[in-house]
Amino acid sequence: MVALEGNMDLGGLILLIIIIMIGPPIVLSILGFIISKNNPKAAKILYILSGIYLLVGLGICGSMMV
């Protein structure tokens, strides 16, 4: 019956959702910046993937947070 009570602390869950939403695009952007000197075409692809992941992550995770 404890699981049915409504006063649970969801701070950790919200932090996890935010990390899933913003973490991978930051990592992909950093990798793109590191690779940009040697292989600009691959860096461009990483930037595009980062943008798409951020857009989808903000859409899906953002709708769950509302």
Side-chain angles (χ1 to χ4, degrees), residues 1-2 12 17 27 34-35 37-38 43-45 57 60 63 65:
M1 286 298 168
V2 176
I17 291 173
V27 171
I34 292 171
I35 294 175
K37 293 180 182 177
N38 297 336
K44 189 176 184 181
I45 291 172
I60 294 173
S63 67
M65 292 179 67

Side-chain angles (χ1 to χ4, degrees), residues 28-46:
L28 287 173
S29 296
I30 291 171
L31 285 174
F33 182 72
I34 292 171
I35 294 175
S36 66
K37 293 180 182 177
N38 297 336
N39 197 349
K41 194 171 188 176
K44 189 176 184 181
I45 291 172
L46 285 175

Side-chain angles (χ1 to χ4, degrees), residues 3 13 15 17 20-21 24 37-39 48 50 57-60 65:
L13 181 63
L15 182 64
I17 291 173
I20 290 172
M21 180 171 47
K37 293 180 182 177
N38 297 336
N39 197 349
I48 291 170
S50 172
L58 287 175
I60 294 173
M65 292 179 67

Side-chain angles (χ1 to χ4, degrees), residues 10-24 53 61 64-65:
L10 297 176
L13 181 63
I14 292 174
L15 182 64
L16 180 68
I17 291 173
I18 290 174
I19 289 173
I20 290 172
M21 180 171 47
I22 297 177
Y53 193 102
C61 293
M64 284 193 300
M65 292 179 67

